[in-house]
Amino acid sequence: MILADWIALAMVVVFLALGALIGFGKGLKFFTSGIFGIVISVLICALIGTVFLDVGFVGDLLGKLAENWAHIEFLKTIHLEVIIYYVIMFVIVQIARIIVVVVIKQILESENILMKIVNKSLGAVFFLGLGFLIVMLIVKIIGWVGGDTAMNLYNGLAGSVFRLDVVFEYMNPEWAEKELALLKILLH
């Protein structure tokens, strides 16, 4: 095992311990409030909103709403009805998100011993997942930076028992194709 493997194992242990210590309820509350909550709500609106935009009564309602300002070119151009639709959807998603998070937090943080075990276990898994996503984002950013930084990291990961070099290649296929092909040419 190389140093990168030991670092990866240490990170797994740290994220699992942190998650077990904090618990799923508090972790979920933290990562869904403030700016994180707004980003989550915007993503949900963007993903779900387009599904219902032209379907059934929503499409009919938006069409009738647009008729009210059809004579005003600017409002017709910016599609004010779609803006209103997404603002209303955002408010609904925000309220639903807050209610769901509070209910889950209250259930998992109850004094029941079974719920405490579930809360700590889910917290460990949740924080491990978040840690994995953060590390993958960092690996992706290093691949975007490229150059010596990416090559040094790749070389440091080569020979990993956990095949971390393959993970780096998978996260940065454009970099791997260009740089590793060049490296193979130089070595042969």
Side-chain angles (χ1 to χ4, degrees):
M1 285 185 30
I2 62 172
L3 179 62
D5 292 326
W6 290 108
I7 293 172
L9 281 175
M11 290 175 67
V12 166
V13 170
V14 166
F15 283 119
L16 286 173
L18 187 63
L21 181 67
I22 293 174
F24 185 73
K26 288 181 185 170
L28 184 66
K29 174 95 171 88
F30 175 77
F31 283 106
T32 58
S33 60
I35 191 72
F36 294 122
I38 292 171
V39 169
I40 290 169
S41 295
V42 167
L43 289 174
I44 290 172
C45 289
L47 293 173
I48 294 177
T50 55
V51 172
F52 299 108
L53 192 58
D54 295 325
V55 177
F57 80 94
V58 174
D60 297 338
L61 183 63
L62 291 177
K64 289 179 184 175
L65 193 58
E67 291 173 6
N68 292 329
W69 50 74
H71 59 283
I72 303 173
E73 192 61 35
F74 174 72
L75 297 178
K76 195 169 103 177
T77 302
I78 66 167
H79 293 283
L80 184 61
E81 71 280 3
V82 176
I83 294 171
I84 293 170
Y85 167 73
Y86 277 109
V87 167
I88 291 171
M89 178 175 272
F90 178 77
V91 170
I92 291 170
V93 168
Q94 281 283 81
I95 292 169
R97 178 188 54 80
I98 291 168
I99 291 170
V100 167
V101 168
V102 167
V103 167
I104 290 172
K105 184 178 182 290
Q106 293 299 322
I107 290 171
L108 289 175
E109 291 184 351
S110 67
E111 293 301 317
N112 184 337
I113 189 72
L114 178 63
M115 283 294 116
K116 285 185 177 189
I117 293 170
V118 169
N119 185 33
K120 299 298 182 181
S121 300
L122 286 177
V125 172
F126 179 63
F127 274 79
L128 181 62
L130 284 174
F132 178 76
L133 290 175
I134 291 168
V135 169
M136 291 298 105
L137 179 62
I138 291 168
V139 167
K140 186 67 174 175
I141 290 170
I142 291 172
W144 285 336
V145 169
D148 289 341
T149 304
M151 188 56 82
N152 289 339
L153 178 62
Y154 179 77
N155 289 336
L157 298 175
S160 167
V161 170
F162 301 123
R163 300 185 46 110
L164 298 174
D165 52 341
V166 176
V167 172
F168 185 86
E169 289 176 23
Y170 179 75
M171 290 300 297
N172 300 292
E174 302 87 22
W175 176 88
E177 183 179 322
K178 182 179 81 174
E179 294 294 325
L180 296 180
L182 180 63
L183 187 64
K184 287 177 184 174
I185 291 171
L186 293 175
L187 293 177
H188 290 289

